[in-house]
């Protein structure tokens, strides 16, 4: 899921400058529209870079290399649940009584349906997953506690890493460990909408237009990796990861090359990536490895794997 191709467009020249250019850069993208946008963006790179990019309809049977998933995990579907004294309820979407009749529906305006949260007894899969979650936490969740979990994570991660004969899968996303994710003060979960780079707390606002995402339980990701035959090669904050890979040196070089005005803008933007109150702590980096790898510099400054 390479989006507009902007990450690839930044990675390839940076890797070239470091003398680490990969033989091939494969983009797995199923959307025809996004593929065209990516081709336009990456086609503007220098020929020796653009020629290394290839698009895939599916993962190859086997490869050695690095799988990069930046803000992919937060887009995986989640199941919402509520813990009660009687058991586990599955939370879904229902029509409010004030909704217009079918046939009059529109996405916006007076004919738009009014949605509300509906509850029913949880499926066996969700019920068992919540009980397993409580067992791993060592405590039962309080009555009325609401949150979410990603039931399909294990199967998804196993599928995308199965062809990795040797190498690394690097996941970068906003999330926390399981103990923090399901802490008492996080009742209500993390599901939210995003519209034009703005967080929207109401998932029923602008239905079909805004993106829906949930934070990542990185403990669950690590468990899925181990189940898929991978090893956890490191887990840390984005700030520690970047600072461990000479981030300050790269920023200084970019700012100097850009000149005073643009350099100051770059430095300010870069600070957001590492500041604790910004993306530095909210975003985490998790590396899953197959085969022997040298120590990864991104996790040398601080590795929080033990907290998983």
């Amino acid at each position: 899921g390479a989006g507009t191709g902007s990450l690839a467009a930044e990675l390839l020249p940076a890797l070239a400058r470091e003398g680490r250019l990969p033989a091939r850069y494969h983009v797995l993208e199923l959307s025809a529209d996004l593929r065209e946008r990516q081709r336009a963006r990456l086609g503007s790179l220098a020929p020796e870079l653009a020629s290394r990019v290839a698009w895939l309809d599916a993962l190859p049977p086997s490869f050695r290399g690095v799988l990069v998933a930046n803000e992919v995990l937060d887009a995986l579907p989640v199941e919402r649940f509520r813990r009660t004294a009687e058991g586990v309820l599955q939370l879904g979407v229902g029509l409010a009584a004030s909704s217009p009749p079918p046939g009059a529906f529109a996405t916006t305006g007076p004919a738009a349906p009014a949605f509300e949260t509906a509850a029913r007894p949880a499926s066996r899969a969700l019920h068992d997953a919540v009980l397993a979650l409580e067992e791993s936490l060592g405590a039962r969740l309080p009555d009325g506690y609401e949150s979410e979990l990603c039931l399909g994570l294990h199967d998804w991660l196993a599928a995308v890493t199965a062809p990795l004969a040797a190498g690394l899968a690097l996941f970068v996303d906003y999330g926390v460990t399981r103990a923090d994710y399901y802490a008492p003060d996080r009742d209500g979960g993390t599901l939210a909408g995003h519209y034009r780079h703005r967080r929207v707390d109401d998932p029923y606002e602008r239905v079909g237009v805004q993106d829906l995402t949930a934070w990542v339980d990185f403990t669950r990701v690590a468990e899925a990796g181990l189940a898929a035959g991978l090893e956890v090669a490191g887990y840390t904050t984005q700030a520690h990861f970047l600072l461990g890979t000479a981030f300050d040196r790269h920023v200084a070089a970019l700012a100097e090359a850009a000149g005073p005005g643009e350099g100051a803008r770059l430095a300010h933007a870069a600070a957001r990536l590492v500041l604790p109150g910004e993306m530095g702590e909210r975003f985490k980096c998790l590396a899953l490895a197959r085969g022997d790898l040298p120590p990864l510099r991104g996790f040398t400054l601080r590795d929080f794997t033990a907290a998983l």
Side-chain angles (χ1 to χ4, degrees), residues 7-27:
L7 178 61
E10 295 288 345
L11 271 178
L12 284 165
L15 291 170
R17 289 193 297 270
E18 293 293 314
R20 302 288 184 178
L21 199 60
R24 302 293 287 169
Y25 191 108
H26 289 104
V27 178

Side-chain angles (χ1 to χ4, degrees), residues 104-250:
F105 281 3
T107 56
T108 59
F115 295 108
E116 63 183 8
T117 298
R120 66 181 182 187
S123 65
R124 172 55 60 182
L126 180 58
H127 175 272
D128 291 349
V130 173
L131 265 57
L133 168 67
E134 292 178 327
E135 182 177 357
S136 70
L137 292 171
R140 185 179 175 280
L141 294 170
D143 290 343
Y145 190 92
E146 294 184 359
S147 192
E148 64 278 323
L149 52 81
C150 182
L151 288 181
L153 177 63
H154 279 64
D155 289 342
W156 178 87
L157 193 140
V160 298
T161 60
L164 183 64
L168 190 74
L170 179 65
F171 299 94
V172 183
D173 229 308
Y174 46 95
V176 289
T177 63
R178 175 170 297 156
D180 287 336
Y181 199 115
Y182 298 103
D185 61 355
R186 209 178 286 275
D187 181 13
T190 67
L191 182 71
H194 288 272
Y195 182 72
R196 295 181 178 176
H197 306 290
R198 181 176 65 88
R199 176 189 166 94
V200 181
D201 290 325
D202 183 3
Y204 304 131
E205 187 176 325
R206 298 187 182 90
V207 172
V209 178
Q210 67 179 1
D211 291 330
L212 293 180
T213 67
W215 280 39
V216 177
D217 172 4
F218 276 102
T219 303
R220 191 172 184 84
V221 181
E223 291 173 345
L226 295 174
L230 300 155
E231 295 183 359
V232 177
Y235 170 68
T236 193
T237 66
Q238 179 173 280
H240 285 105
F241 183 87
L242 291 174
L243 293 173
T245 52
F247 176 72
D248 50 347
R249 175 173 64 84
H250 290 296

